[in-house]
């Protein structure tokens, strides 16, 4: 399984497109860990909609930066691989499949 960690801070406008691109993935064995880095208005599960993947939201009490948010996500991750994704990125549908095929290889 791949753990996709998405740190975000006040990214309500871009995060839905990022999550939609994860919904299109051909590789389906992944979890999504959204790490709210102290946003002014935190997202809820109702805000992010329904997707075909497992997700959880971690909320940090105040903004500590992307590094701290990623570390919080890693502590929660259950996957054997970690993939960090910015909250304004959009992946091609085969991105996670390609990543999984390269795990353990020198690229």
């Amino acid at each position: 399984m791949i753990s996709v960690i998405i740190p975000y801070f006040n990214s309500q406008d871009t995060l839905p497109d990022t999550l939609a691109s994860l919904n299109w993935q051909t590789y389906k064995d992944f979890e999504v860990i959204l790490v709210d880095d102290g946003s002014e208005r935190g997202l809820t599960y109702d805000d992010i909609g329904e997707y075909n993947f497992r997700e959880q939201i971690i909320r940090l009490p105040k903004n500590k930066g992307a590094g701290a948010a990623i570390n919080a996500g890693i502590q929660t991750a259950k996957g054997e691989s970690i993939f960090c994704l910015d909250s304004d990125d959009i992946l091609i549908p085969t991105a996670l499949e390609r990543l999984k095929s390269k795990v353990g290889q020198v690229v």
Side-chain angles (χ1 to χ4, degrees):
M1 178 171 59
I2 297 174
S3 294
V4 179
I5 299 172
I6 306 174
Y8 67 92
F9 177 75
N10 293 336
S11 300
Q12 291 83 351
D13 294 338
T14 59
L15 196 53
D17 290 338
T18 300
L19 294 173
S21 77
L22 286 168
N23 206 43
W24 307 328
Q25 292 303 299
T26 55
Y27 182 81
K28 300 295 185 189
D29 190 18
F30 65 93
E31 67 176 347
V32 176
I33 302 169
L34 297 157
V35 185
D36 181 345
D37 190 20
S39 295
E40 293 169 12
R41 180 191 162 283
L43 295 177
T44 67
Y45 289 103
D46 289 335
D47 292 329
I48 63 174
E50 289 193 28
Y51 295 101
N52 296 324
F53 50 76
R54 297 173 297 279
E55 76 277 335
Q56 63 178 301
I57 300 172
I58 299 171
R59 289 184 182 83
L60 301 181
K62 65 178 186 172
N63 184 267
K64 296 183 178 186
I70 290 168
N71 286 337
I74 289 171
Q75 290 175 359
T76 304
K78 294 180 177 76
E80 65 270 0
S81 301
I82 304 286
F83 181 64
C84 296
L85 185 62
D86 288 338
S87 62
D88 61 352
D89 288 347
I90 296 176
L91 298 178
I92 62 170
T94 58
L96 294 181
E97 184 177 349
R98 290 178 181 192
L99 174 68
K100 185 65 176 174
S101 74
K102 299 295 183 188
V103 170
Q105 297 181 16
V106 177
V107 288

